[in-house]
Amino acid sequence: MKRREFVGGLAVAAGVAACSKADPEQKTVAAQAGETFEWSCVTSWPPKFPGLGMAVENLAERLERASAGRLKIKVYGGGELVPPFEVFDAVSRGAVEMGHDASYYHRGKVDAAQFFTAIPFGMNYMELNAWIHYGGGLELWRELYEPFNLMPFLCGNTGVQMGGWFNKQINSIDDIKGLKMRIPGLGGEVLRRAGGTPIILPGSEIFTSLQTGAIDATEWVGPYNDVSFGLHKAATYYYYPGWQETGPGLECIINREAWDSLPADLQALVEITCQSITLDMAAEYSHGNANSLQQLMADPNIDIRPFPAEVLQHLKIIAREIVEEMAANDPAAAKISKPYYEYLEKMEANTRISEQAYLETRTS
Ligand code: CA
């Protein structure tokens, strides 16, 4: 006891002495470290939209709190400062410092960026995290965005989505023929080659289009977001799984000069906080999806059912063909496609004997 008191007393005394002795210098360091940064962040989401929009609000709130106010970020919903799909350009040219969106929106401009959100029949949530942070994905992503003056960070994930809402049954691949479905990106291209008609619609128009029969089907996200849009009131069949978006990652993009202006500790804080948002958003979706699914399962008007295996197999073959064509036409896509699929193959073996085997046991 005496020894502990002595050591404790000594430490306090030494601390006081060191503090008082170094005081003038400490003030200088504190003044430099106290430089504040006020940034704007544009997004593709409706303001404070559950999941997607809250993730970026949480990012800003956490960064301000953890930096003691040194990094303040004002978040703008899609269309408030720039249109929802112009986030990439606005951050790239330095009109704002930061953006939050999905990299597959850059299809047609940077096709290869789609690997970092979702490829049909691609990686799930944790496999994508592994590839980005341990498997070389982040380095490929940074290289891809370098000409655009952007630093990308993985910042959010919805987890595997649902296949979508249908007003007719899908019992064979023939039922896809002529199907008018709201489905963007590579998933839409897969649908088109299977004989369907992909339609692009902003989120705000999906419900009415489905209800009036302008479209036969739509995918959106999963139970959490779909119920908040009221999609269960406009269609009967809710199909799974979401082969088109198997664990889509969201991105935080930062203008290169803005990034370089941050001191090292704030840069570290941004990196760490983006990772925390990826975890947090996946948790929010798991929680929200489970609650909304419970509501849908209790609804006698809703029929929740899996796609037939042969339909999924057919779509999977088409998806791989489309990605191979993309790689054949675009060297940047080729450079990412090869390591992506090698990693996916390695992960499939691991997931099969771990998560997949366990989940099959749990539900059998
Ligand atoms: Ca979707």
Side-chain angles (χ1 to χ4, degrees), residues 10-294:
L10 190 70
V12 168
V16 169
C19 195
S20 121
K21 200 174 168 186
D23 202 32
E25 201 178 335
Q26 286 280 328
K27 274 182 183 163
T28 313
V29 172
Q32 280 173 354
E35 187 182 355
T36 59
F37 297 83
E38 294 193 4
W39 284 8
S40 297
C41 178
V42 291
T43 76
S44 298
W45 328 119
K48 297 191 168 66
F49 188 70
L52 301 164
M54 280 316 296
V56 64
E57 296 285 346
N58 291 336
L59 174 69
E61 186 271 330
R62 286 180 186 191
L63 283 173
E64 181 166 346
R65 190 153 46 96
S67 70
R70 290 166 56 213
L71 181 54
K72 287 184 186 170
I73 295 166
K74 180 156 174 48
V75 177
Y76 293 90
E80 287 185 340
L81 208 57
V82 300
F85 297 132
E86 288 178 23
V87 169
F88 186 88
D89 292 331
V91 183
S92 175
R93 67 172 186 269
V96 290
E97 294 85 0
M98 186 187 264
H100 190 257
D101 65 352
S103 65
Y104 64 2
Y105 292 150
H106 319 324
R107 187 174 177 227
K109 183 183 300 163
V110 199
D111 279 345
Q114 294 174 104
F115 288 99
F116 304 104
T117 307
I119 294 290
F121 297 94
M123 293 182 196
N124 73 11
Y125 157 64
M126 194 47 77
E127 292 167 346
L128 185 73
N129 283 345
W131 180 57
I132 301 275
H133 291 299
Y134 287 89
L138 186 60
E139 290 73 17
L140 289 166
W141 200 1
R142 287 188 174 165
E143 188 184 326
L144 184 71
Y145 279 15
E146 202 176 354
F148 301 95
N149 211 29
L150 291 172
M151 282 286 285
F153 299 87
L154 192 60
C155 188
N157 196 302
T158 68
V160 63
Q161 300 197 351
M162 284 293 279
W165 294 92
F166 292 70
N167 269 322
K168 56 178 276 197
Q169 289 185 14
I170 303 298
N171 295 316
S172 76
I173 200 70
D174 288 338
D175 294 322
I176 302 281
K177 294 193 167 66
L179 187 81
K180 283 181 289 178
M181 179 171 181
R182 180 269 174 194
I183 173 170
L186 286 176
E189 182 60 18
V190 172
L191 184 88
R192 193 181 66 75
R193 292 202 196 183
T197 306
I199 313 259
I200 310 286
L201 287 176
S204 56
E205 290 175 28
I206 295 177
F207 175 80
T208 307
S209 302
L210 192 60
Q211 198 183 36
T212 59
I215 55 174
D216 306 309
T218 184
E219 72 84 56
W220 178 228
V221 184
Y224 181 40
N225 285 155
D226 294 4
V227 166
S228 68
F229 261 19
L231 299 181
H232 58 301
K233 294 174 185 157
T236 304
Y237 303 105
Y238 198 21
Y239 274 95
Y240 64 89
W243 54 272
Q244 76 288 359
E245 293 188 57
T246 57
L250 286 306
E251 68 178 8
C252 173
I253 45 177
I254 299 177
N255 178 272
R256 184 76 218 195
E257 282 80 42
W259 172 254
D260 289 342
S261 75
L262 286 185
D265 65 327
L266 289 185
Q267 287 185 339
L269 203 59
V270 170
E271 283 179 302
I272 293 162
T273 310
C274 283
Q275 284 200 24
S276 86
I277 292 299
T278 302
L279 171 66
D280 189 67
M281 186 170 152
E284 185 189 348
Y285 270 98
S286 281
H287 176 77
N289 283 337
N291 284 340
S292 298
L293 180 62
Q294 195 175 44

